Amino acid sequence: SAVISQKPSRDICQRGTSLTIQCQVDSQVTMMFWYRQQPGQSLTLIATANQGSEATYESGFVIDKFPISRPNLTFSTLTVSNMSPEDSSIYLCSVEDPAGPGGTQYFGPGTRLLVL
Amino acid sequence: GQQLNQSPQSMFIQEGEDVSMNCTSSSIFNTWLWYKQDPGEGPVLLIALYKAGELTSNGRLTAQFGITRKDSFLNISASIPSDVGIYFCAGLAGYALNFGKGTSLLVTP
């Protein structure tokens, strides 16, 4: 399975500011995903990030609020813009296993964000 | 996303007991995945199921992909304290994973 790292691991931010979260994979992968996990809740897909194309956002998530970059096959960033306390969550990136039958995703350790 | 119903919501058991949890959906999935999440960590993949009726084991864990493709269960045998955590089922529709709400497992020595 792929080894995935995220930076920062956690942060405390003031409302109105923005935070960029980085996701690094130890192998080249086509599909990368960004999820949000609100406190005590399950995971919700924010967007799919494929290298060389615009990210595809799920219903309820927009590019202005969560801009994503995917400059190469091992790296992606998610920015949480103009933050409010409601953005306090764990943000997780995942990758699709390139060697698997399809669909299996592996997750990074997450970025824990608290917005004051 | 599609709604997955995962039960039970929480379990409190003694070490050595067997555990069973399940997920159901109104929609068909082509892949079912089971993850475990420890506090402060990301979800870790436990078992992946790719075919209806498939029964797969990983150590003390056993999971099955339901024949109707709308459900899956996970069994843990002879639980140990390190089994503590939150277990999530996830069904794959297209490229998107739809997650259950999780089963919180507590194991007492």
Side-chain angles (χ1 to χ4, degrees):
Chain A
S1 63
V3 177
I4 305 164
S5 60
Q6 286 185 232
K7 290 182 182 179
S9 60
R10 61 182 66 242
D11 208 341
I12 301 174
C13 300
Q14 297 296 322
R15 72 174 67 207
T17 63
S18 298
L19 176 72
T20 296
I21 302 167
Q22 299 178 8
C23 180
Q24 180 77 51
V25 191
D26 70 341
S27 58
Q28 293 185 336
V29 295
T30 301
M31 301 190 76
M32 294 181 76
F33 307 87
W34 286 98
Y35 288 81
R36 181 176 72 183
Q37 186 177 25
Q38 294 176 302
Q41 302 297 313
S42 186
L43 285 75
T44 301
L45 180 64
I46 297 172
T48 302
N50 293 338
Q51 194 264 338
S53 63
E54 294 287 327
T56 303
Y57 289 83
E58 297 298 301
S59 175
F61 299 97
V62 294
I63 187 171
D64 289 346
K65 176 67 176 177
F66 297 102
I68 288 171
S69 79
R70 181 77 202 274
N72 58 53
L73 291 174
T74 62
F75 187 78
S76 178
T77 67
L78 170 77
T79 298
V80 187
S81 303
N82 188 23
M83 289 184 284
S84 66
E86 292 71 35
D87 294 319
S88 298
S89 292
I90 302 171
Y91 292 86
L92 297 137
C93 69
S94 74
V95 304
E96 185 181 59
D97 181 6
T104 304
Q105 292 183 23
Y106 296 97
F107 284 83
T111 295
R112 281 141 191 83
L113 172 62
L114 176 63
V115 184
L116 302 177
Chain B
Q2 291 152 22
Q3 190 72 31
L4 268 64
N5 299 308
Q6 185 172 349
S7 64
Q9 184 177 356
S10 62
M11 301 184 74
F12 187 65
I13 63 172
Q14 280 198 313
E15 182 177 3
E17 290 185 8
D18 296 343
V19 171
S20 185
M21 59 193 78
N22 70 85
C23 265
T24 61
S25 171
S26 58
S27 303
I28 290 173
F29 291 113
N30 294 319
T31 299
W32 280 95
L33 304 171
W34 284 92
Y35 291 88
K36 178 175 182 256
Q37 187 174 30
D38 292 328
E41 303 290 331
V44 174
L45 182 66
L46 299 174
I47 291 182
L49 302 159
Y50 301 107
K51 201 164 56 173
E54 181 180 357
L55 183 71
T56 297
S57 293
N58 177 9
R60 293 178 295 106
L61 278 61
T62 301
Q64 184 157 32
F65 192 145
I67 290 290
T68 65
R69 294 165 63 192
K70 293 182 179 181
D71 64 302
S72 177
F73 72 75
L74 174 71
N75 288 340
I76 305 173
S77 62
S79 58
I80 58 178
S82 63
D83 290 334
V84 165
I86 302 178
Y87 292 79
F88 290 99
C89 63
L92 183 70
Y95 56 84
L97 280 181
N98 299 273
F99 281 82
K101 296 194 174 191
T103 295
S104 177
L105 179 62
L106 293 176
V107 181
T108 59

